[in-house]
Amino acid sequence: HTQQQKNKDIPEGGSKGIILLGHPCQKLGEVAFRKYIDALLDLLLPDSEIVDYHQKKEMLFLGPDEGTAGFMDWASQYARSRNYPFWKSFTTGKSPEMGGIPHDLYGMTTSGVYEYERRILRQLGLREKDTTKIQTGGPDGDLGSNEIKFSKSRYIAVVDASGVLYDKKGIDRKELKRLAKKRQTVREFNKRKLSSQGFLVLVEDKSVRLFDGTIVANGIEFRNHFHLSHFTEADLFIPCGGRPQSINILNWKQILNDRGEPRYRIIVEGANLFITQEARLELEKKNCVIIKDASANKGGVTSSSLEVLASLALDDPEFDALFCVKGKKIPEFRKKYIEEVLERIRNNASREFDILWQEHKKTNIPLSILSDQLSRKINNLSHSINESDLWNCASLRVNIISRHIPDVLMKKLGIEEILKRIPESYQRALFASALARDFVYAFGIDATEVQFARFLDQMGK
């Protein structure tokens, strides 16, 4: 459900694909993944033993996620070996040598999250360098490491799989960035860099006395619930990792201080499902500004979608020459394309934020609800467009699709050649999603049919 809402900006639909391993097979993830890919290709490719009730050519695009990021290269090459025609776009987030755009290398997801942070601070009249921040998800992770690299805030606490790093006076920025660059956990933090009001509690620690007299009986329990503890008071809380429903209807009051106010002024959910909807709404009643996951965490899917687009538009020799990194040489085309991907991510985040903020100020509807309404508006309109005859209007179709194509790709191939190469089913999805997104971001959640008619006239109908 969250994935489909998050994918509102792109032509591809969204769903999580889960491979559940039996208890004796917990170390056989790669084997399971290979079998999973083999089974998907069995269904995608023509086979005399399989009855196709769908009677349509299907296309699947798999993106990297927990436990599978390292397998994207193999899956693409295996699809090629089985003569799947869309093997280049079958998986995204591949290594640069294979023409992929790794999300962690370029901070794709973080770029969207960070744009929301910047926009909120601007609206509240706060300077980033004067704000304090707490983060779950450490410097060893994709989102966590890039958040540390991007941020100008003063970090108070960072929580990851290894433990809790805290310093009331502010964690040493250089040391924290050193860990982020090396993708190491807070376990590797140099404790000599801590002030007298700082500590590093590891998950294996027992009966540790902190500077204020607090006794930590169990390091794991302390880590798991640190985001609810009295140590956590900051302008910004950015969940970049952690367990789903870590903040829920049963524990959200633990985030309130003695005055009944949230200890976090702003929460931008980088991690999916960290807070339940019920808890979000209660915290928003207490004037905590919350941007939920479906809005904040969409940069990665935008990057994957545009990687798919390039893979479909460029033929094999072009893709190899323009998109694949050979040694230390990065093609100029690739550099410009990735710059446009990042700009698209920031722009989509900015446009969505503007709509959410305006509607919230006008109606006082919680941002968490408005985020859902916006996603449904775009997705429902996209579906309606796809079912309509608007596709038959050539001038509108070409204009809308052209607006979605990155400039560097458009200059290289031209719209006529691009449309010859991309499958029509993908073009239709691209047309519907782009038209719906641009209209809603321009006119808002309550946009009317009359406004849509005017919008179509402006776009070339």
Side-chain angles (χ1 to χ4, degrees):
H1 178 70
T2 298
Q3 191 72 30
Q4 183 68 0
Q5 290 186 321
K6 191 163 70 170
N7 284 30
K8 59 183 169 288
D9 290 337
I10 63 176
E12 297 84 359
S15 180
K16 291 284 187 181
I18 305 299
I19 306 171
L20 182 62
L21 302 176
H23 186 266
C25 306
Q26 290 297 302
K27 295 183 180 180
L28 299 177
E30 185 171 357
V31 175
F33 181 81
R34 288 172 184 258
K35 291 183 176 183
Y36 180 76
I37 294 299
D38 200 37
L40 287 180
L41 289 168
D42 282 345
L43 297 173
L44 288 170
L45 293 166
D47 191 309
S48 59
E49 297 182 1
I50 296 177
V51 179
D52 181 9
Y53 290 105
H54 192 52
Q55 293 296 313
K56 291 182 181 179
K57 184 180 290 186
E58 295 180 89
M59 301 173 70
L60 288 182
F61 312 105
L62 310 183
D65 211 321
E66 298 292 335
T68 64
F71 306 149
M72 295 294 105
D73 287 5
W74 174 85
S76 176
Q77 289 303 300
Y78 184 68
R80 186 181 192 178
S81 72
R82 290 196 57 181
N83 297 316
Y84 181 55
F86 307 113
W87 64 271
K88 295 198 300 296
S89 59
F90 184 53
T91 59
T92 63
K94 301 183 291 295
S95 64
E97 292 75 17
M98 291 194 60
I101 305 177
H103 298 175
D104 57 348
L105 180 62
Y106 298 101
M108 294 304 183
T109 305
T110 311
S111 292
V113 174
Y114 186 61
E115 185 64 23
Y116 272 103
E117 294 174 47
R118 293 176 63 250
R119 303 284 291 184
I120 294 170
L121 294 177
R122 188 182 307 167
Q123 287 292 337
L124 298 180
L126 300 174
R127 294 197 307 172
E128 185 180 358
K129 68 178 183 179
D130 297 330
T131 60
T132 53
K133 178 183 285 187
I134 290 172
Q135 176 179 308
T136 56
D140 61 317
D142 168 5
L143 188 52
S145 63
N146 284 305
E147 181 69 29
I148 290 168
K149 292 175 186 176
F150 287 11
S151 179
K152 300 179 182 65
S153 299
R154 181 165 59 93
Y155 271 91
I156 302 299
V158 176
V159 182
D160 67 15
S162 70
V164 178
L165 175 64
Y166 174 88
D167 199 323
K168 189 173 182 178
K169 294 185 176 180
I171 299 172
D172 186 276
R173 181 179 295 276
K174 288 185 179 179
E175 179 65 3
L176 195 57
K177 286 194 172 183
R178 180 185 72 83
L179 298 184
K181 289 178 181 177
K182 291 188 174 183
R183 298 290 291 271
Q184 295 178 329
T185 64
V186 296
R187 177 186 295 276
E188 306 303 323
F189 188 88
N190 183 353
K191 289 195 282 189
R192 289 177 297 179
K193 302 285 186 178
L194 291 170
S195 75
S196 59
Q197 294 180 297
F199 56 76
L200 174 59
V201 176
L202 302 176
V203 290
E204 64 267 23
D205 288 343
K206 308 284 185 183
S207 302
V208 176
R209 179 183 290 274
L210 305 181
F211 66 87
D212 67 344
T214 299
I215 302 296
V216 176
N218 182 298
I220 292 179
E221 287 297 313
F222 186 66
R223 179 205 63 186
N224 290 350
H225 301 102
F226 183 78
H227 60 281
L228 305 171
S229 74
H230 69 276
F231 291 104
T232 54
E233 187 145 359
D235 297 305
L236 285 158
F237 175 39
I238 314 295
C240 295
R243 296 178 179 180
Q245 303 181 19
S246 289
I247 300 176
N248 55 61
I249 197 63
L250 299 178
N251 65 18
W252 71 271
K253 288 185 178 179
Q254 296 179 44
I255 291 174
L256 306 182
N257 59 26
D258 295 339
R259 300 183 299 278
E261 301 166 340
R263 289 195 296 272
Y264 306 122
R265 186 172 181 181
I266 302 161
I267 302 176
V268 180
E269 279 188 274
N272 288 322
L273 308 176
F274 191 85
I275 310 175
T276 66
Q277 184 74 343
E278 296 87 353
R280 291 187 192 106
L281 297 178
E282 293 298 332
L283 288 169
E284 287 203 60
K285 288 178 186 176
K286 297 289 187 178
N287 297 319
C288 181
V289 178
I290 299 179
I291 302 296
K292 69 178 296 184
D293 47 11
S295 293
N297 183 324
K298 62 177 184 174
V301 298
T302 301
S303 174
S304 283
S305 177
L306 291 170
E307 184 179 334
V308 165
L309 178 62
S311 301
L312 293 174
L314 298 171
D315 62 26
D316 290 1
E318 289 169 342
F319 189 76
D320 183 65
L322 300 174
F323 237 74
C324 297
V325 176
K326 309 291 175 60
K328 294 183 178 181
K329 187 176 180 181
I330 303 175
E332 284 300 314
F333 181 94
R334 176 185 172 85
K335 290 180 184 177
K336 293 178 181 178
Y337 196 90
I338 291 173
E339 288 172 4
E340 291 199 53
V341 172
L342 287 165
E343 181 55 33
R344 185 75 59 88
I345 291 170
R346 291 188 288 263
N347 187 48
N348 284 342
S350 177
R351 291 201 293 173
E352 181 172 0
F353 173 80
D354 287 344
I355 292 292
L356 295 178
W357 195 260
Q358 290 165 15
E359 290 290 328
H360 176 63
K361 290 299 180 185
K362 182 173 68 176
T363 64
N364 207 34
I365 296 173
L367 290 166
S368 301
I369 290 177
L370 290 172
S371 174
D372 291 342
Q373 291 179 353
L374 181 69
S375 295
R376 284 196 296 269
K377 179 82 172 185
I378 294 175
N379 285 335
N380 290 341
L381 181 56
S382 177
H383 177 74
S384 297
I385 292 169
N386 211 20
E387 295 294 315
S388 75
D389 62 357
L390 285 174
W391 170 261
N392 298 326
C393 179
S395 59
L396 177 65
R397 181 174 73 241
V398 171
N399 187 15
I400 293 300
I401 293 178
S402 297
R403 287 160 61 92
H404 182 83
I405 306 294
D407 289 344
V408 65
L409 182 59
M410 184 71 85
K411 291 175 182 176
K412 180 66 181 178
L413 298 178
I415 188 62
E416 291 185 7
E417 185 62 27
I418 290 172
L419 295 180
K420 287 179 184 177
R421 297 183 180 191
I422 297 177
E424 184 178 308
S425 60
Y426 190 86
Q427 290 183 43
R428 285 178 175 269
L430 194 159
F431 168 74
S433 66
L435 181 57
R437 180 197 66 217
D438 287 349
F439 170 67
V440 175
Y441 284 155
F443 290 90
I445 296 172
D446 296 324
T448 66
E449 288 83 353
V450 172
Q451 288 172 313
F452 186 63
R454 291 174 181 170
F455 184 71
L456 292 179
D457 287 337
Q458 294 172 7
M459 293 297 106
K461 185 176 181 298

